[in-house]
Amino acid sequence: MENTLQHCLPFVRLFSLSSKEFSDKVRPYQKLFKRQSYEDLLSSYLDPYYEPGDSISLPRNIEIDGIIDSKIVNLNIVSIISRWIDKVDANCNFSYLRELYLPYKFQLLIRGSRDGFTPRNFHTLCDNKHNTVTFIKLKDSEEILGGYNPIIWMKFDSWDTNGALNYHNEHGPCFGKDLLIYTYEDSADIDFDLTEVFTDEYYEKSIREEGEFLMEDYEIFQIIKNK
């Protein structure tokens, strides 16, 4: 049985099990696992800071109706972002794997491929909306960038919250100088040219290595607490 199951176990999302499921359904069969694989799994339940050597599969997607209408992200990402916003289980590396955290509905304000990519469209649909999340899909890549704005967007040339947010009439959503969406022409009616990332400008941790990137699409949502 051990030899047979070795071909199946890599496809089972064991790290997504609750503590009770692990205790009831895995622990009694520990002899069927390779020793190191079982030790990694056990350690993840005993030590919130433990990091296994192999990559771990996220939970499978569930229906997203009523939570978010997105062409860019799935519920796994929505759950992770919601945990970051609420600072939930910040010290546990595996909390996001074991249970989806979905306390918010994500109301779509703008999608570039649907509503246009100009600064004017962004400001018309997103200004004065508080608690918004931006997702940016990079072109020719699976990479997604973004940020959370707990206050509002507005047109005027200014900075807010010690430079964490950058407001500009001819820019899209800009998080300090660490993540910017803008047009070279400085026009509110020309599509965004670039997404640009800088390193350690105004945020404690870098978003990624700095550089200029083409954007395939972007979405901005206002998050609303579930009743």
Side-chain angles (χ1 to χ4, degrees), residues 129-225:
K129 299 293 198 313
H130 57 83
N131 296 94
T132 59
V133 178
T134 300
F135 297 112
I136 305 162
K137 175 69 168 60
L138 300 187
K139 192 172 183 179
D140 300 323
S141 169
E142 295 301 316
E143 190 169 1
I144 299 169
L145 304 178
Y148 171 61
N149 180 359
I151 47 179
I152 64 171
W153 296 110
M154 57 185 179
K155 296 180 181 179
F156 308 105
D157 296 350
S158 64
W159 298 80
D160 207 340
T161 59
N162 294 322
L165 299 171
N166 181 357
Y167 302 129
H168 195 291
N169 189 44
E170 284 84 30
H171 287 180
C174 296
F175 298 87
K177 285 187 177 179
D178 295 60
L179 177 60
L180 301 95
I181 301 177
Y182 65 97
T183 171
Y184 275 134
E185 300 295 330
D186 285 334
S187 170
D189 296 305
I190 294 179
D191 286 356
F192 300 125
D193 295 306
L194 288 174
T195 299
E196 190 162 11
V197 177
F198 292 90
T199 304
D200 294 333
E201 290 284 333
Y202 289 91
Y203 287 84
E204 181 179 350
K205 296 181 179 179
S206 300
I207 294 175
R208 70 174 324 282
E209 292 181 2
E210 62 182 59
E212 296 180 346
F213 309 92
L214 296 178
M215 177 172 61
E216 178 179 310
D217 206 352
Y218 86 113
E219 298 171 338
I220 298 179
F221 298 87
Q222 184 175 33
I223 63 171
I224 301 170
K225 195 78 172 180

Side-chain angles (χ1 to χ4, degrees), residues 59-79 100 102 104-107 111 219 221 226:
R60 290 182 174 88
N61 290 329
I62 61 175
E63 292 296 324
I64 64 175
D65 292 345
I67 301 294
I68 190 170
D69 172 19
S70 175
K71 306 295 185 183
I72 299 177
V73 300
N74 57 33
L75 280 191
N76 294 322
I77 295 177
V78 169
S79 174
L100 290 175
L102 303 170
Y104 301 107
K105 292 182 179 180
F106 285 62
Q107 181 177 328
R111 176 180 293 136
E219 298 171 338
F221 298 87
N226 286 325

